[in-house]
């Protein structure tokens, strides 16, 4: 998803709505930060890890990370 796609999606919703992200193992929590990051794609093969990692030296793409 790109920032443009995210903005278009969010246009449909009231600006006063709260944003939540998944908790570590369950439940939901507030985002702690939003940052621009350099991402190396498809480096993790384990099912319990997300497939991508932040890597400032060897990266494929820059993107926005919501934590």
């Amino acid at each position: 998803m790109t920032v443009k796609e995210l903005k278009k999606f969010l246009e449909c919703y009231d600006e006063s709505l709260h944003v939540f992200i998944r908790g570590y193992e369950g439940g939901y929590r507030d985002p702690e930060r939003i940052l621009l990051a350099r991402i190396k794609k498809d480096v993790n093969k384990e099912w319990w890890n997300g497939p991508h990692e932040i890597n400032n030296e060897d990266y494929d793409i820059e993107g926005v990370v919501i934590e």
Side-chain angles (χ1 to χ4, degrees), residues 17-23 28-35 65-67:
L17 287 175
H18 198 91
V19 174
F20 297 99
I21 59 173
R22 284 197 178 272
Y28 294 87
R29 61 186 177 92
D30 295 316
E32 295 177 8
R33 64 183 179 155
I34 299 172
L35 61 128
V65 174
I66 302 174
E67 297 184 321

Side-chain angles (χ1 to χ4, degrees), residues 46-64:
E46 304 87 1
W47 64 267
W48 62 86
N49 278 326
H52 317 305
E53 287 286 347
I54 292 177
N55 186 326
N56 288 321
E57 302 300 320
D58 179 24
Y59 62 95
D60 298 316
I61 191 168
E62 288 186 321
V64 175

